[in-house]
Amino acid sequence: MTDKNDERGQPHRFVGPGNRYELLRHHDSGGMGDVWEAYDRNLDRSVAIKFLALARLAGVHPGGEREAKMRELFIRESLTMAQVSTPYVATIFDRHTGDGDPFLVMEYIEGDSLAAYVGQTPLRLERTVHWSRQIAEGLAAAHDKGVVHRDIKPGNILITADQGDVRIIDFGLARFADSTESYSGAGTPLYTSPERCRFDSGDERSDLYSLGCVMYEMVTGWPPFGDRKSESAALAHAHQFKQPTRPSAQASGVPRPLDDLIMKLLAKKPDDRPRNARVVIQTIREVERAPEVVDGSPQSPVGRETPHVNTGYVNRIRETERRVRRLTFEHGGTHDDVVAARAELAELTGISGDARGAAELYDRLGHDCGVWFGRQDRRSLDAFEGMTRWIEGRGMH
């Protein structure tokens, strides 16, 4: 390893019994420790390794009995975390608790965190509903095993590059951090439940509150309280005492059932939130609408007042997004094929139930075409006509 890697506290290129894991690339550093991409030489696969910085976490009493107790806690927590089995939670393959910092060996996931998708502008509704249900599915599977995350936030939700599905990471590590002297137990302030702000341990309904914060940000573009520059104390006060503005008041086109669900998740008292994650899943499914497609064509238009989101279009929308990027790379943004693909993406977005998203995509396309070809060009006029259709709720041609 290079000296730079040595400075991160991991001087060996190979770790684990028999030097099973080869460290390849440092991914991230945080208060808990470091994350590496690694190669499992026994099973010929990529894995992610998360080292826990014991000396740092032990606070003012490092070494000796303190670190020994933390190792014991790590063993118990890792056993519990490994029991969670669902496509929406990163799988734990192995652990190491011998000499040096203990570490977890987990599924390596290609993709970005949800944090790369949220912020300032709303996500399309079909994507919001699809990912929200998958997060709730992951939480339900973990809660069934008695595992509470305690730090649900966009940074702990990965989106796979291949299928665009959710993988929740770092289950159980917040509880481990709670037991250390260097952590307050409050989690990430923007997404922390009122009870966790009071340093209570919380239960599965604390995770549901945090899910509500994440869903609020997906729908509106902003967390329910503050932003990333806000002081932790101010955020804690808001979570405990301030009522959030309804998402539908912040962004147009939010289906009422989704609006109501987010507000219920953000209830100050745990007893006023949904009973468990499975109730959340059922509510989200009521927001979804099964696709009605014959020969690849939708059978009925979806206007702006329709209170459902058709997640059956998720894959078609992702494929169209990829096609837009590929064509743009091959031909440049002004090519007619790119313009046509962008119009198709806007139309699919509207058909999925997101009239607002369709109008925004058409509006952006219209402005681009106006710059490239002139505002009276057919391509500009067609795009603005599409925008008007979805604003007025007239949907498809």
Side-chain angles (χ1 to χ4, degrees), residues 1 4-5 8 10 23-30 33-38 51:
M1 300 234 94
K4 184 177 180 181
N5 289 336
R8 292 187 179 114
Q10 188 56 43
L23 302 183
L24 300 177
R25 185 163 61 100
H26 183 265
H27 267 270
D28 190 27
S29 292
D34 298 294
V35 180
W36 289 75
E37 177 187 352
F51 292 92

Side-chain angles (χ1 to χ4, degrees), residues 254-263 283-284 286-287 306-308:
V254 181
R256 182 59 183 266
L258 186 63
D259 200 42
D260 290 343
L261 172 60
I262 293 172
M263 292 301 293
T283 305
I284 292 175
E286 292 171 2
V287 177
T306 303
H308 294 89

Side-chain angles (χ1 to χ4, degrees), residues 320-388:
T320 306
E321 287 176 327
R322 292 192 190 102
R323 182 151 51 88
V324 169
R325 289 194 293 269
R326 176 176 57 80
L327 290 171
T328 302
F329 177 78
E330 292 175 354
H331 306 297
T334 61
H335 196 278
D336 280 350
D337 287 349
V338 176
V339 174
R342 288 179 62 182
E344 180 182 347
L345 176 61
E347 203 66 18
L348 284 172
T349 299
I351 294 167
S352 75
D354 188 358
R356 176 197 65 199
E360 289 175 351
L361 288 171
Y362 268 127
D363 182 42
R364 199 175 308 150
L365 177 59
H367 281 290
D368 287 344
C369 288
V371 171
W372 297 331
F373 315 118
R375 293 184 63 84
Q376 298 305 313
D377 184 87
R378 173 187 53 80
R379 289 158 290 192
S380 303
L381 296 175
D382 285 349
F384 285 123
E385 190 277 332
M387 177 191 71
T388 303

Side-chain angles (χ1 to χ4, degrees), residues 147-161:
V147 180
V148 179
H149 194 290
R150 294 184 172 85
D151 195 18
I152 289 293
K153 60 182 179 180
N156 280 335
I157 300 165
L158 300 184
I159 308 299
T160 62

Side-chain angles (χ1 to χ4, degrees), residues 70-116:
M70 292 174 67
R71 286 182 186 275
E72 292 176 7
L73 176 62
F74 173 75
I75 292 172
R76 293 198 303 270
E77 288 299 307
S78 60
L79 281 173
T80 303
M81 288 185 278
Q83 295 176 21
V84 179
S85 178
T86 170
Y88 307 121
V89 172
T91 303
I92 293 178
F93 297 137
D94 194 7
R95 69 170 185 211
H96 176 73
T97 57
D99 295 336
D101 286 337
F103 61 80
L104 288 173
V105 181
M106 301 173 288
E107 168 187 11
Y108 180 74
I109 300 163
E110 289 279 0
D112 294 318
S113 75
L114 182 59

